[in-house]
Amino acid sequence: MTSNFSSTVAGLPRIGAKRELKFALEGFWNGTTDGRALAQTARQLVNSASDALTDLDSVPFAGRSYYDAMLDTAAFLGVLPARFDSIPDHANDGLPLWIDRYFAAARGTAEQPAQAMTKWFDTNYHYLVPELAADTRFVLDASALIEDLHCQQVRGVNARPVLIGPLTFLSLSRTTDGSDPLDHLSELFEVYGRLLQSLDSEWVQIDEPALVTDLSAELLAQVRAGYQKLAAREGIFVNTYFGSGDQALETLAGIGLGAIGVDLVTHGITALEAWKGEELLVAGIVDGRNVWRTDLCAAFASLKRLAARGPIAVSTSCSLLHVPYSLDAEPNIDTEVRDWLAFGAEKIREVALLAQALAGNIDTAAFDAASTALASRRTSARTAASTQELPGRARGSFATRVALQEEALQLPALPTTTIGSFPQTPAIRSARARLRSGALTQAEYEEAMRGEIDLVIKKQEELGLDVLVHGEPERNDMVQYFAELLDGFLVTANGWVQSYGSRCVRPPVLFGNVSRPAPMTVSWFEYAQSLTKKHVKGMLTGPVTILAWSFVRDDQPLAATADEVALALRAEIADLIAAGAQIIQVDEPAIRELLPLREADKPAYLKWSVDSFRLATAGAPDEVQIHTHMCYSEFNEVISSVIALDADVTTIEAARSDMQVLSALKSSGFELGVGPGVWDIHSPRVPALSEVSGLLDAALQSVSPRQLWVNPDCGLKTRGWPEVEAALKVLVAAAEKARAELGAAI
Ligand code: GLN
Ligand code: ZN
C-alpha cells in the first residue's frame, strides 16, 4: 500500500536560483566547458531543488532536464525528429547519449531547422513541439530518469517522478503528415504502462493539464480507459492545472488512481460530488504562477471543507517553474509591496503552514501576518480603484487612413522594414552592466546608446531598407523597459523565470495603479529620426503583452488594468507624434498567449484585449500609420481579433509555419497591411534569395501587392551582425525582385 502524503508542490523550476543551468548550457554550447561540467550542474540543481522541500513530505522530481520537459519526454519516448538521426551519440561523460540530437532538435543546426517552439498553455513558458507522424513508433528509454531517481533515493529523498501525461503530450504535438497525433493515444498509454513499472518510487505524478481544456466525450472516455489500466500500478497521481479540475474529477475519479490534483486558484471546483474520497485529492491552493501572498485563513477554510469529504494534500496550483525562486534574493523591493508578495520559497512555506494547520497545528503568528499583509494591500492608496473617464477607441475608416498615409509616407510598393531590435552586442550589454555598477554615468550610457543608434541607422540605410528602426539598444527587455519607467510596477533584481531553454526573463510585478510620470521613448526616437530622411518607427510594447509578461495584480479585472496601461501608452504615442513620428509600432506578440483555454472564456478576453490596444492607439490621427507585431504563435484562432485591432500594418511570424497565417487572413477578407515574416530569425540560417522570393510569391497568392510588407519574423536582438546583414541583404533583394516582377501591377 502506498501511504498518502500531506504536502507538496506541483513542480519546481529547473534553471537554478542563480541561473546555473543557463550558464552551464551556454558554456557547453560554446565549448568553454565540457559535458561533465554540464551534467554535474544539472545534477546539483536536482539535489538543491529537493533540499528546498524538507518541510514537505513528497518531493516532485523531473530528473535532470537540459532544456524543456516536453523535449525530455520526446527524447525518452524515442521520438526526436528523424532529421537529426545522423548526429552521432555523445561520448560518455555523464550526459545522455542522445544529448547532441536533443540540443539539435531544440536549437537547430546549420543544415536543419529546430523543432517548433510555442507557449505552454496560457503561460509565458515555451516548450518544443513534438513532431510525430502516423507511422511514428515510440521506443522507450527512460534509463537517464531511472538513474537520477536512484540518486535521489540514495540521498533519502522521497522523490516522486513527474511525467507529462500521454493526453497532454499528444495534444501538444504536431504531425508532419496531417494525421491526428491523438491517434497514438492507446499505444502511448501502453508505453506509459511499461514506463511506470520501471520507476520504483512510491508515487509517480503524471501531469495532464490538457484535461482542463475542451475535450470530446469520446476522447475523455479513452483517457479514462487509459488511466484505468495505468492504475494497476499503485501510487499514480494525475495532476491537472491552469483551469477547472471538474473534468479531471469527472473523468478520473473512482478508477483506482492514488491521487488526483486540481488547481483551486485558476478555478474552483464545482464537480466535487464526483470525488467520493477514494483518491487523495491534491489541492492546488497556493498560486503557482503569480506572486501574491496567499490568504492563509481563507485557504485553510477551503481546505477544511475539502478535508471533510476525503483525504487531501496541500499543494501549489501548478509548478513553481513560473515564479522566481525567493524574495530573499530581492534586497531592494519597496517595503510596502514586498509584504504583499510570495515567490517560490515563500510559497513552499505557505504550503507547509497550511498542511500543518490541517494537522491541527496552526501557526497563528504566520496566519496573522498574512492577514495583515492582505489588509494593507486592500487599503493601500496605490491599489485604489481608478475613476478616470476613458477616451474613444476608434480611428477613421481604413480607406480614409490608407489614402492619407500613402500621401504622407510616400513608401515604395512592398516596403521593407525590420521588427525593432538589432543585435544586443556585448558592447551594449556591458554598457548596461557598467551603468548598473556605477562605472558609467547616465549621460555616458546614453551617449553609448546614441552611438549604437548611429550604427544601426547607417547600416539600415546602406542595406536599403525603407522604414527604419532605432534598434532598441536601450531596452534590456521589451516589457521590463516600460515597467521601469511606469508607476505601479516594480522590477526585481534576481527574479529570473525560465522562458525557454537557457533563456530567462525577469517579469516585472504590476502591483498597483499604472501611470506614466514622463515620456519613455521619445528622446531615442527623436535622435534616430534626426539621423535620416527615411521614416523611423516609434516603438512601443502593447498593453496585452505588458500584462502577459508581468505578474499582474489579481485584485481587479485584467481589463481594467489593461486600460490603465493603454492610457499611458496613448499619452506616449501623442508625444511621439508631436516629436515627428509618422509610423508607430505597438508590439503585441503575446496576444495569443493570454487566450483562455476554454471556448466559453474566449470572447470576453478577446474583447478586452482588442479594446485595450485600440484605447492605446486610437488617439493617433488618421495619417499616422499604426503597426503591430505578433509572433511565437498560431494565429488562426485569433485572426478576427488581429483584424479587430485595426492596425494599419501587422507584421507577423510566418516563416516557420510556411505562411499558414496568410490563408486564414485571405479567407477572412483581411484588407489591412500585412508583413508575414520571410526570415525565420530563430534559426541560425541565412535564407537564400530563392527561399525568400518563394515566400513572397506565396504571400502574394493570399494578399494584394498593396497590402504586403517585407520583413523578418521577429526582432533581431538575439542574432549576430554578420547573419543579420547577410539576411537583410537577401530580404531587400527579394523585395526588389518582386517589385520588378509585379511591374505595372502595383
Ligand atoms: N520590437 C520587438 C523587437 O524587435 C519585438 C519583439 C517580439 O516580438 N518579441 O525586439
Ligand atoms: Zn516577434
Side-chain angles (χ1 to χ4, degrees):
M1 261 305 275
T2 50
S3 53
N4 283 346
F5 54 91
S6 69
S7 57
T8 192
V9 295
L12 291 164
R14 304 178 281 254
I15 201 78
K18 300 202 162 90
R19 291 181 292 159
E20 292 88 338
L21 184 61
K22 171 195 175 67
F23 300 117
L25 284 169
E26 288 171 353
F28 178 70
W29 291 334
N30 67 28
T32 51
T33 52
D34 62 4
R36 205 167 297 278
L38 174 59
Q40 179 62 14
T41 301
R43 195 183 300 278
Q44 272 162 3
L45 286 170
V46 171
N47 291 348
S48 57
S50 308
D51 295 346
L53 298 187
T54 43
D55 287 345
L56 310 184
D57 61 3
S58 180
V59 172
F61 161 76
R64 277 174 288 169
S65 178
Y66 293 97
Y67 205 94
D68 164 55
M70 283 289 285
L71 188 63
D72 297 338
T73 310
F76 73 64
L77 292 175
V79 293
L80 292 177
R83 63 178 174 281
F84 304 113
D85 282 354
S86 59
I87 298 175
D89 278 355
H90 187 85
N92 192 359
D93 58 9
L95 292 175
L97 292 177
W98 39 252
I99 196 79
D100 293 335
R101 293 189 287 280
Y102 172 98
F103 285 141
R107 309 172 69 224
T109 63
E111 298 80 33
Q112 295 290 353
Q115 275 180 227
M117 188 169 67
T118 194
K119 304 273 175 171
W120 175 244
F121 295 87
D122 55 353
T123 73
N124 189 26
Y125 175 75
H126 306 67
Y127 70 93
L128 284 148
V129 183
E131 289 173 23
L132 308 177
D135 61 3
T136 298
R137 289 292 158 264
F138 300 101
V139 183
L140 181 64
D141 174 9
S143 49
L145 182 67
I146 293 167
E147 184 197 320
D148 285 350
L149 176 62
H150 287 159
C151 290
Q152 290 307 304
Q153 289 168 335
V154 167
R155 296 178 75 241
V157 176
N158 184 12
R160 179 183 84 232
V162 180
L163 307 169
I164 291 173
L167 171 70
T168 299
F169 183 78
L170 294 176
S171 303
L172 300 183
S173 295
R174 286 184 198 160
T175 58
T176 46
D177 58 2
S179 61
D180 182 352
L182 286 162
D183 291 346
H184 291 289
L185 191 58
S186 54
E187 183 193 345
L188 195 53
F189 268 114
E190 275 171 32
V191 175
Y192 271 62
R194 278 185 276 133
L195 170 60
L196 293 176
Q197 296 306 331
S198 66
L199 298 172
D200 66 350
S201 58
E202 188 176 19
W203 286 92
V204 178
Q205 174 178 333
I206 306 183
D207 280 3
E208 288 287 19
L211 265 179
V212 311
T213 64
D214 296 311
L215 301 174
S216 70
E218 192 195 340
L219 183 56
L220 289 170
Q222 264 182 286
V223 171
R224 182 178 167 89
Y227 275 106
Q228 203 147 19
K229 286 196 196 129
L230 296 191
R233 183 208 191 274
E234 278 190 20
I236 301 298
F237 161 29
V238 179
N239 200 19
T240 63
Y241 38 85
F242 301 148
S244 165
D246 285 351
Q247 194 168 256
L249 289 179
E250 285 161 350
T251 308
L252 298 178
I255 59 171
L257 292 171
I260 300 175
V262 293
D263 171 345
L264 297 174
V265 175
T266 315
H267 225 287
I269 36 180
T270 52
L272 210 47
E273 67 287 352
W275 173 55
K276 306 267 182 306
E278 291 167 33
E279 306 82 8
L280 176 69
L281 187 78
V282 181
I285 193 125
V286 169
D287 194 344
R289 58 185 286 195
N290 210 336
V291 293
W292 307 106
R293 193 162 172 171
T294 304
D295 182 343
L296 291 178
C297 290
F300 182 45
S302 309
L303 291 171
K304 272 200 303 201
R305 277 195 299 277
L306 291 174
R309 306 182 66 109
I312 70 167
V314 185
S315 185
T316 53
S317 63
C318 62
S319 169
L320 295 174
L321 171 71
H322 307 289
V323 293
Y325 274 80
S326 172
L327 273 172
D328 287 345
E330 303 299 330
N332 302 322
I333 292 185
D334 176 304
T335 48
E336 182 187 13
V337 181
R338 183 187 188 95
D339 223 28
W340 308 346
L341 300 173
F343 289 179
E346 294 75 29
K347 287 173 189 293
I348 292 167
R349 169 111 185 100
E350 290 178 337
V351 167
L353 285 166
L354 287 166
Q356 274 165 31
L358 276 177
N361 187 3
I362 302 181
D363 182 335
T364 37
F367 273 61
D368 287 350
S371 301
T372 312
L374 255 110
S376 125
R377 186 176 165 211
R378 247 191 319 266
T379 53
S380 167
R382 297 157 91 184
T383 59
S386 128
T387 51
Q388 204 171 112
E389 205 171 305
L390 299 177
R393 301 181 198 251
R395 304 180 72 206
S397 76
F398 182 58
T400 315
R401 288 173 359 226
V402 168
L404 289 169
Q405 290 167 18
E406 275 179 2
E407 177 67 31
L409 298 173
Q410 297 292 326
L411 294 171
L414 271 47
T416 53
T417 191
T418 61
I419 305 304
S421 56
F422 271 93
Q424 288 259 336
T425 56
I428 296 177
R429 282 199 295 270
S430 126
R432 209 169 359 262
R434 281 182 290 145
L435 173 69
R436 264 200 312 272
S437 73
L440 279 190
T441 64
Q442 182 68 27
E444 285 164 340
Y445 170 73
E446 287 177 11
E447 186 58 39
M449 293 302 113
R450 279 194 292 273
E452 296 294 335
I453 294 175
D454 291 338
L455 181 94
V456 298
I457 295 287
K458 187 161 157 280
K459 291 244 198 237
Q460 292 173 92
E461 290 207 314
E462 280 166 11
L463 285 160
L465 288 156
D466 300 309
V467 171
L468 310 193
V469 296
H470 79 285
E472 305 178 26
E474 78 290 6
R475 300 187 193 177
N476 42 2
D477 172 272
M478 65 187 286
V479 169
Q480 180 162 354
Y481 177 77
F482 292 95
E484 282 174 1
L485 297 171
L486 289 165
D487 282 347
F489 285 85
L490 63 82
V491 295
T492 66
N494 297 297
W496 295 104
V497 174
Q498 188 179 24
S499 169
Y500 64 89
S502 61
R503 295 285 300 252
C504 299
V505 291
R506 265 183 305 157
V509 179
L510 195 176
F511 66 84
N513 301 335
V514 175
S515 61
R516 185 190 73 135
M520 304 179 284
T521 63
V522 177
S523 62
W524 300 116
F525 163 77
E526 269 179 324
Y527 181 70
Q529 187 66 82
S530 77
L531 301 171
T532 175
K533 292 204 166 48
K534 292 193 167 170
H535 298 290
V536 176
K537 291 191 269 193
M539 191 63 63
L540 303 172
T541 303
V544 180
T545 300
I546 289 185
L547 261 55
W549 295 354
S550 301
F551 294 114
V552 180
R553 59 188 295 188
D554 58 357
D555 56 348
Q556 69 175 17
L558 286 178
T561 308
D563 276 353
E564 286 179 25
V565 176
L567 284 179
L569 293 170
R570 187 174 175 122
E572 183 73 12
I573 290 176
D575 284 343
L576 280 167
I577 294 170
Q582 287 181 283
I583 304 181
I584 293 169
Q585 179 173 317
V586 181
D587 289 328
E588 283 291 22
I591 203 145
R592 167 71 180 75
E593 125 196 0
L594 281 193
L595 189 69
L597 300 175
R598 310 282 304 231
E599 285 308 320
D601 303 325
K602 287 179 185 172
Y605 162 73
L606 290 173
K607 172 151 182 24
W608 73 251
S609 58
V610 167
D611 276 359
S612 69
F613 183 90
R614 295 179 62 135
L615 183 63
T617 52
D622 290 347
E623 64 274 18
V624 172
Q625 193 167 64
I626 297 291
H627 289 213
T628 190
H629 165 72
M630 301 177 184
C631 54
Y632 301 134
S633 284
E634 282 162 11
F635 290 100
N636 296 4
E637 229 190 327
V638 293
I639 214 78
S640 55
S641 302
V642 174
I643 299 169
L645 294 179
D646 201 28
D648 299 302
V649 178
T650 302
T651 58
I652 196 159
E653 173 181 356
R656 249 194 203 196
S657 57
D658 290 329
M659 304 257 148
Q660 270 169 23
V661 64
L662 285 166
S663 44
L665 286 175
K666 183 179 185 182
S667 50
S668 63
F670 190 74
E671 53 169 7
L672 304 161
V674 60
V678 290
W679 166 30
D680 171 11
I681 64 99
H682 293 105
S683 137
R685 294 173 55 245
V686 172
L689 179 63
S690 57
E691 229 175 302
V692 176
S693 292
L695 291 173
L696 288 179
D697 289 343
L700 287 166
Q701 303 293 309
S702 298
V703 299
S704 86
R706 287 189 63 177
Q707 289 175 277
L708 190 62
W709 283 64
V710 181
N711 46 261
D713 256 354
C714 193
L716 304 173
K717 66 172 173 236
T718 59
R719 310 295 3 161
W721 268 110
E723 62 182 298
V724 163
E725 283 194 80
L728 290 179
K729 239 180 230 159
V730 173
L731 187 145
V732 170
E736 276 162 4
K737 182 163 166 280
R739 279 176 205 151
E741 281 164 10
L742 286 166
I746 42 175

